[in-house]
Amino acid sequence: MAEIIQKDGTWVFDGDALRLTPGRDKNVGLLRRELGELLVPLAALAGISFEQGKKSGRLRLRLRDGADPLLHATGGRLAEPHDPYQLLVEPDRYGVAEYFVDEVRNALLLDQVPSGPVDAYLLPGPSVPLSVSAGDGIAHFDGEQVRLEWKWQAEDAKSAAGPRTLPLADIVAVEWQPSAGLENGHLRFTVRAAPGKVPPKYDPNAVELWGFKRDPLMALVAAAVQARLPHPSARPAAEDAGPAAESPAPAPAPAAEDDHDALLRRLRELGELHRSGVLTDEEFTLAKQAILKRM
């Protein structure tokens, strides 16, 4: 087991999963504190890195595309204080951080975890019910429906219509966008049969965010909804595929060809792991030689 304890948080790796616990330091972002402890399975990881600095270092986890509903809903736009997959490391713990990275990388290599995208969420997303107040509204989510209530600052186009209830079955997509410069952010729900998009300020299916402290918490609502929507890579059901779905499946290729293709795919995956820094030069060379011998 590998463990690193810092003011910013504690990371523990037991060989199968990483347990990420946010610290109590005042610099820990509000979203990380509200999100709480995360259990990240090894299969969800695409890589890990450690960057040294003069005053502090930083551990970073890179998750496979599509593994975490929070990352999908926020589109990688979480600022560093709120990103649960980063950990500030003090200089006297650089050696521990490097050991931690080695342990995770070795496990990724031994378990042959691919770095490519996944077709199902490997993390559950925030627990529900959730209620967050920020910007011009309050968003509630109980796992089955979203309810949007408007503050007195909301535009008349929203407040005059009263609270908005969106059944989960009617929601097609969800997006969280932080404020940037003079541009306000938003939490927006795309709903079936809704008219074209209008600015979040007037959109009854969106909460406008003004760059205040609690804005990142709306990302929790976005992630909780996203986790209960169909995965972005999910294929259409067979009944939606038409007559082609009823045609017989092609005959399987010979086993030898399957083995050869699998080894070629593994070589490509190793190359990706090497380029992304998950594998050292020595680890990559040894793994590649082992596959070439099998071919």
Side-chain angles (χ1 to χ4, degrees), residues 18-95:
L18 290 97
R19 190 176 298 275
L20 315 180
T21 307
R24 298 182 179 180
D25 188 73
K26 62 180 181 180
N27 294 323
V28 177
L30 182 60
L31 183 143
R32 285 180 60 199
R33 295 202 298 269
E34 291 293 327
L35 188 59
E37 186 175 86
L38 285 178
L39 188 65
V40 183
L42 185 65
L45 286 186
I48 183 172
S49 64
F50 174 60
E51 305 162 3
Q52 293 190 14
K54 292 182 179 180
K55 295 183 178 180
S56 64
R58 190 180 299 275
L59 275 170
R60 297 178 187 267
L61 292 180
R62 184 166 60 88
L63 270 63
R64 299 170 65 185
D65 289 343
D68 182 16
L70 174 63
L71 294 183
H72 183 82
T74 57
R77 294 182 288 264
L78 286 175
E80 290 184 359
H82 306 291
D83 188 344
Y85 303 115
Q86 297 188 34
L87 182 72
L88 289 177
V89 179
E90 298 173 4
D92 62 346
R93 290 294 181 269
Y94 281 2

